[in-house]
Amino acid sequence: FDAELVREIFQDCAINSGLTLHVDTLYGDNAHHIAESCVKGLARALRQALEVAPREGGRVPSTKGAL
Protein backbone atom coordinates (compact mmCIF):
# COMPACT_ATOMS: atom_id res chain seq x y z
CA PHE A 1 0.00 0.00 0.00
CA ASP A 2 1.47 3.31 -1.08
CA ALA A 3 1.05 5.83 1.73
CA GLU A 4 1.08 8.62 -0.85
CA LEU A 5 -2.39 7.48 -1.92
CA VAL A 6 -3.94 8.36 1.44
CA ARG A 7 -4.26 12.02 0.48
CA GLU A 8 -6.02 11.02 -2.75
CA ILE A 9 -8.39 8.73 -0.88
CA PHE A 10 -9.43 11.47 1.54
CA GLN A 11 -9.73 14.01 -1.27
CA ASP A 12 -11.92 11.70 -3.36
CA CYS A 13 -14.02 10.85 -0.30
CA ALA A 14 -14.64 14.53 0.43
CA ILE A 15 -15.42 15.45 -3.18
CA ASN A 16 -17.73 12.51 -3.89
CA SER A 17 -19.64 12.76 -0.61
CA GLY A 18 -19.92 16.55 -0.53
CA LEU A 19 -18.07 16.81 2.78
CA THR A 20 -15.85 19.57 4.00
CA LEU A 21 -12.97 17.54 5.34
CA HIS A 22 -9.88 18.77 7.16
CA VAL A 23 -7.15 16.28 8.02
CA ASP A 24 -4.10 17.55 9.88
CA THR A 25 -1.18 15.32 10.69
CA LEU A 26 0.50 17.01 13.61
CA TYR A 27 3.35 14.58 14.14
CA GLY A 28 4.57 11.08 13.40
CA ASP A 29 7.29 9.29 11.49
CA ASN A 30 5.63 6.12 10.26
CA ALA A 31 3.39 6.81 7.23
CA HIS A 32 1.29 3.70 7.94
CA HIS A 33 0.50 4.81 11.49
CA ILE A 34 -0.26 8.35 10.39
CA ALA A 35 -2.67 7.09 7.72
CA GLU A 36 -4.26 4.69 10.20
CA SER A 37 -4.90 7.46 12.72
CA CYS A 38 -6.41 9.71 10.03
CA VAL A 39 -8.80 6.97 8.92
CA LYS A 40 -9.79 6.24 12.51
CA GLY A 41 -10.38 9.94 13.18
CA LEU A 42 -12.62 10.23 10.12
CA ALA A 43 -14.56 7.12 11.14
CA ARG A 44 -15.16 8.47 14.63
CA ALA A 45 -16.26 11.87 13.29
CA LEU A 46 -18.68 10.25 10.82
CA ARG A 47 -20.13 8.00 13.52
CA GLN A 48 -20.71 11.01 15.76
CA ALA A 49 -22.26 13.01 12.91
CA LEU A 50 -24.66 10.21 11.99
CA GLU A 51 -25.85 9.30 15.48
CA VAL A 52 -29.45 9.99 16.30
CA ALA A 53 -29.64 12.64 19.02
CA PRO A 54 -31.74 11.21 21.90
CA ARG A 55 -32.06 14.64 23.56
CA GLU A 56 -33.43 16.04 20.30
CA GLY A 57 -36.36 13.65 20.08
CA GLY A 58 -34.59 11.17 17.83
CA ARG A 59 -33.64 13.71 15.16
CA VAL A 60 -30.33 13.61 13.36
CA PRO A 61 -27.83 16.24 14.55
CA SER A 62 -28.14 18.52 11.56
CA THR A 63 -28.95 22.19 11.30
CA LYS A 64 -30.69 21.41 8.01
CA GLY A 65 -32.77 18.55 9.44
CA ALA A 66 -31.37 15.97 7.04
CA LEU A 67 -28.11 14.25 6.19
Side-chain angles (χ1 to χ4, degrees):
F1 178 73
D2 185 5
E4 295 293 322
L5 295 175
V6 173
R7 177 185 168 99
E8 300 300 321
I9 292 168
F10 279 108
Q11 191 169 13
D12 290 344
C13 177
I15 291 169
N16 290 308
S17 63
L19 293 172
T20 299
L21 183 61
H22 298 273
V23 179
D24 290 328
T25 55
L26 302 177
Y27 55 86
D29 296 324
N30 185 309
H32 169 81
H33 291 154
I34 294 170
E36 187 176 25
S37 67
C38 291
V39 170
K40 186 173 182 176
L42 175 61
R44 291 180 63 128
L46 288 174
R47 181 181 64 192
Q48 183 179 1
L50 296 173
E51 282 182 346
V52 175
R55 293 185 298 176
E56 298 293 327
R59 295 183 307 148
V60 293
S62 169
T63 57
K64 297 176 182 147
L67 293 177

